[in-house]
Amino acid sequence: MTSFNYSAHFKHILQSTHENGRFRNFLPLQRHVGNFPNATSTLPNGTKKDVTIWCSNDYLGMGQNPIVMNAMHKAIQQYGTGAGGTRSISGTTQLITQLEDSLCDLHNSESALVFTSGFTSNEGSLGALIRLLPDCVVFSDELNHASMIIGIRNGGAEKHIFRHNDIEHLEDLLKATDIHRPKLIAFESVYSMDGDIAPIADIIALAKKYNAMTYLDEVHAVGLYGPRGGGVAEQLNIMDQIDIIEGTFGKAYGVMGGFITGKKELIETIRLHAPAFIFTTALPPVVVAGALASVEYLKTSSIERDTAHANAQHLKKHIAKADIRTLQGQSHIVPLIIGDDACCKAITSILLNDYNIYAQPINAPTVPKGTERLRLTATAAHTRDHINTLMNALNDLWSSHEFSKIMTG
């Protein structure tokens, strides 16, 4: 019997990934301070190319905000680089406690907990919470992020998947469950691949009716929605009716890290029982300082929010005029449906090579096969000229290539 050939095994996996159209290449991008969304890319052949980024999650351009950068410069001069350990050993700095106080103020909550990323905050919080609820039943939207899915799976409880944003289906599932059993409804506010927004108020009403807790992921909404950037729940004035709000500093806030907010006893319990929090080195002070500055700045400045939403509406209006197939979500995200993985990759390659526009293809399994797309985000840093350039490129592709046959379905 021959020994297992590890190299051949992994080569076969890579070959299958290539054949299925799922292999992903990373294009190195060098952003330039003061010039976002423009950047310099390094192509596979090593040549440099100036491009405009159209798929960034830095929705408000806060990654280059002078106030945020100055706070980070000051922090690195004052505290150095690393955190020095986990939060429980030596990594809890005064900056982190200030950031958690700022988040409590943002969400009008009793307690907050900062994680190293939005992924770990979802994975760790959901897993710990579900494990600690006896005989718990979880109800999860079918389009929830992978971090939520993994956290729920790690919780090990009975779970039911309800159709995306389908209130009737969710109620049917809740109705079939013993009213006395602990229940948790996990969902997002803004869904990043479809660009739509959950019926949060309706879900809250069902949670109250059937005695369930609510866990709301606002990663694509904090900073960008609500009068102070608290998210869609703040915009709807229903933050106080959500048990746990989860968010990130890695998108509209322009830095990195994640967090949860809620009642003190709930957040403290997660703090003491979530391995993803307990055993992870804390965020460096320089990152925390940037996140704190960004959160505080966006509590009072609405210019960035207003500009980003206006740009998104302007882009949507022009795409509608061009009769290009999109998903009609209410958010700032514009999913342009291509419907074929090879075509999607071809379009993004042409946009990059011929028009200096960078937009990553979103193919299966990230989205269902047959719904491959470009996920376009008009940020606060984009100008009307940027939008016009993008639309000219899309119109050229529409009229000059066979892609339109697929794009129109």
Side-chain angles (χ1 to χ4, degrees):
M1 183 175 178
T2 58
S3 299
F4 187 82
N5 190 325
Y6 295 96
S7 179
H9 174 70
F10 293 118
K11 284 180 180 178
H12 174 70
I13 292 174
L14 288 176
Q15 181 180 350
S16 298
T17 306
H18 274 287
E19 291 172 354
N20 294 334
R22 292 171 53 193
F23 189 84
R24 301 180 183 185
N25 289 307
F26 295 147
L27 182 69
L29 291 170
Q30 186 70 36
R31 304 202 325 171
H32 305 293
V33 173
N35 200 30
F36 179 72
N38 300 311
T40 300
S41 64
T42 303
L43 301 181
N45 62 8
T47 61
K48 305 286 186 181
K49 186 179 187 66
D50 290 335
V51 299
T52 301
I53 302 172
W54 271 100
C55 52
S56 176
N57 289 335
D58 189 357
Y59 299 131
L60 302 179
M62 293 300 293
Q64 300 190 15
N65 183 286
I67 292 174
V68 175
M69 291 192 297
N70 288 339
M72 297 181 78
H73 282 299
K74 183 178 178 181
I76 202 167
Q77 292 297 325
Q78 187 170 357
Y79 303 109
T81 54
T86 64
R87 291 282 302 274
S88 60
I89 294 177
S90 63
T92 295
T93 63
Q94 185 179 8
L95 281 171
I96 287 187
T97 59
Q98 289 174 352
L99 178 56
E100 287 172 342
D101 288 343
S102 177
L103 293 169
C104 288
D105 172 67
L106 176 68
H107 287 154
N108 193 26
S109 61
E110 294 178 358
S111 187
L113 189 64
V114 168
F115 287 74
T116 52
S117 72
F119 193 104
T120 57
S121 59
N122 268 336
E123 179 191 12
S125 300
L126 282 166
L129 180 61
I130 293 165
R131 285 193 301 272
L132 292 168
L133 288 170
D135 198 25
C136 178
V137 185
V138 182
F139 303 86
S140 176
D141 188 288
E142 67 176 335
L143 294 189
N144 277 344
H145 190 263
S147 59
M148 300 177 74
I149 294 170
I150 293 171
I152 292 168
R153 184 184 302 149
N154 290 345
E158 177 184 339
K159 66 177 182 291
H160 299 280
I161 311 301
F162 61 92
R163 291 187 292 270
H164 178 54
N165 284 346
D166 190 329
I167 292 299
E168 291 183 1
H169 188 215
L170 174 58
E171 181 162 25
D172 287 342
L173 294 171
L174 287 164
K175 196 181 298 182
T177 305
D178 184 350
I179 190 70
H180 300 293
R181 288 184 69 181
K183 293 175 283 294
L184 176 69
I185 304 173
F187 62 109
E188 302 180 34
S189 57
V190 175
Y191 285 85
S192 65
M193 289 300 143
D194 285 20
D196 55 352
I197 296 176
I200 301 175
D202 293 334
I203 293 175
I204 290 172
L206 288 181
K208 291 178 179 178
K209 182 177 179 180
Y210 294 99
N211 191 32
M213 294 183 65
T214 48
Y215 184 103
L216 175 62
D217 176 314
E218 290 251 41
V219 295
H220 289 278
V222 287
L224 189 54
Y225 292 80
R228 300 202 307 156
V232 177
E234 184 197 23
Q235 186 166 294
L236 298 173
N237 196 29
I238 52 177
M239 286 192 300
D240 61 330
Q241 299 179 58
I242 300 290
D243 290 296
I244 293 181
I245 293 177
E246 184 268 348
T248 184
F249 307 116
K251 295 181 172 59
Y253 288 122
V255 195
M256 71 171 293
F259 65 88
I260 57 172
T261 64
K263 296 250 182 227
K264 184 174 182 179
E265 66 271 14
L266 183 53
I267 304 303
E268 284 287 279
T269 300
I270 292 172
R271 179 177 72 85
L272 296 172
H273 289 87
F277 172 81
I278 297 169
F279 300 107
T280 302
T281 299
L283 286 175
V286 60
V287 174
V288 179
L292 176 60
S294 189
V295 171
E296 286 295 306
Y297 175 84
L298 288 173
K299 286 179 183 178
T300 58
S301 177
S302 60
I303 296 172
E304 293 80 8
R305 280 189 286 276
D306 294 343
T307 304
H309 288 299
N311 282 343
Q313 291 305 313
H314 188 69
L315 175 61
K316 287 181 177 183
K317 181 180 71 174
H318 282 279
I319 285 179
K321 284 182 180 178
D323 198 27
I324 296 175
R325 183 183 171 197
T326 62
L327 294 179
Q328 300 300 315
Q330 313 98 310
S331 78
H332 58 287
I333 296 167
V334 183
L336 193 159
I337 302 300
I338 308 301
D340 177 84
D341 53 2
C343 187
C344 195
K345 285 187 177 182
I347 288 176
T348 57
S349 294
I350 292 171
L351 286 173
L352 177 66
N353 294 322
D354 296 353
Y355 298 95
N356 302 328
I357 290 171
Y358 176 72
Q360 273 283 15
I362 309 294
N363 288 340
T366 303
V367 295
K369 192 165 182 60
T371 69
E372 291 82 2
R373 67 199 64 179
L374 305 185
R375 176 188 175 274
L376 303 177
T377 54
T379 72
H382 283 88
T383 65
R384 294 302 165 94
D385 285 343
H386 286 133
I387 296 173
N388 291 338
T389 299
L390 172 67
M391 287 310 306
N392 288 338
L394 293 177
N395 284 324
D396 283 350
L397 287 173
W398 182 265
S399 60
S400 303
H401 297 276
E402 292 298 308
F403 301 138
S404 60
K405 294 179 181 178
I406 297 172
M407 292 166 72
T408 53

